[in-house]
Amino acid sequence: DEVMAVIGGCTSAETAAAIEVTQPAKILQLSPLAQDTTLTQKGNPWFARITQSAKTFSSHAAKWTLDRHKVKN
């Protein structure tokens, strides 16, 4: 039972459910896929997202699309 860290889950809902276990146990949880911004806004010191939030991703995707297709304002 000497778990140092957990990587996952694959969805934001899965990750939120796992946090209910990892946070009280003080086990670091790293999420490579969850994008729900509320997961990091709760101030859990045992959780880190290692991907962009949905807000950041959508902003960058929109900018890339506009730049790529040379859309003018």
Side-chain angles (χ1 to χ4, degrees):
D1 288 316
E2 295 182 28
V3 176
M4 294 179 67
V6 172
I7 299 175
C10 292
T11 67
S12 294
E14 219 175 83
T15 301
I19 286 172
E20 293 181 22
V21 175
T22 57
Q23 185 174 6
K26 297 183 178 179
I27 297 172
L28 178 62
Q29 181 176 346
L30 303 172
S31 177
L33 299 172
Q35 294 185 346
D36 183 354
T37 56
T38 63
L39 295 171
T40 49
Q41 291 172 347
K42 294 179 180 177
N44 176 2
W46 298 98
F47 174 74
R49 180 192 358 260
I50 51 177
T51 188
Q52 299 176 36
S53 68
K55 182 178 178 181
T56 302
F57 173 79
S58 60
S59 175
H60 289 166
K63 183 178 178 345
W64 177 86
T65 302
L66 293 172
D67 292 347
R68 173 85 175 177
H69 296 286
K70 298 180 181 13
V71 175
K72 296 179 183 175
N73 293 341

